[in-house]
Amino acid sequence: MERVYRMTVASVYVHYVTKLERKGRTTAELNRVIEWLTGFGDTELTAHLDRGTTFEDFFEQADLNPDASLITGVVCGVRVEEIEEPLTQKIRYLDKLVDELARGRAMEKVLRS
């Protein structure tokens, strides 16, 4: 996971966008999910993407949503609620939210509201 921690958010973000657009979802929806999870609005998110912020720094600076612990399920064969390493769990939370969007889940359910 050390390699993933050092990856830039921007390098993965483009793959999230591609995945979601193929499934009929929008970049705005992706950004909304990221804002819900991290507290970063569009301006802050764009700044992180432009700066090449690593996942480690990105989540270190994030104000994680208190309801993030409600994100459950399997990503890459691992239950996200059982991941013990905090940074890995945060990254997998984001992956899980993107997966739910791609599957067509309603935004209200994705955002646990």
Side-chain angles (χ1 to χ4, degrees), residues 32-33 36 67 97 100 106-113:
R32 185 171 173 204
V33 164
W36 178 87
D67 289 336
L97 295 176
E100 290 177 359
M107 184 62 77
E108 297 77 33
K109 290 188 179 201
V110 172
L111 301 182
R112 303 334 194 232
S113 30

Side-chain angles (χ1 to χ4, degrees), residues 23-41:
K23 300 292 186 169
R25 301 308 284 250
T26 67
T27 302
E29 289 174 306
L30 171 60
N31 292 353
R32 185 171 173 204
V33 164
I34 293 172
E35 181 174 5
W36 178 87
L37 181 63
T38 65
F40 296 134

Side-chain angles (χ1 to χ4, degrees), residues 36-103:
W36 178 87
L37 181 63
T38 65
F40 296 134
D42 286 339
T43 303
E44 291 170 299
L45 176 59
T46 300
H48 282 291
L49 297 174
D50 290 345
R51 275 196 309 262
T53 303
T54 64
F55 273 105
E56 186 171 28
D57 291 337
F58 185 74
F59 280 108
E60 184 176 296
Q61 297 170 33
D63 183 20
L64 201 68
N65 189 305
D67 289 336
S69 62
L70 298 175
I71 301 168
T72 60
V74 178
V75 174
C76 298
V78 178
R79 297 205 65 80
V80 295
E81 64 271 23
E82 295 175 1
I83 298 172
E84 293 182 15
E85 169 29 60
L87 180 55
T88 301
Q89 186 175 52
K90 292 171 188 173
I91 294 168
R92 293 304 186 196
Y93 280 161
L94 180 56
D95 291 340
K96 182 66 178 166
L97 295 176
V98 170
D99 285 350
E100 290 177 359
L101 268 182
R103 281 194 225 111

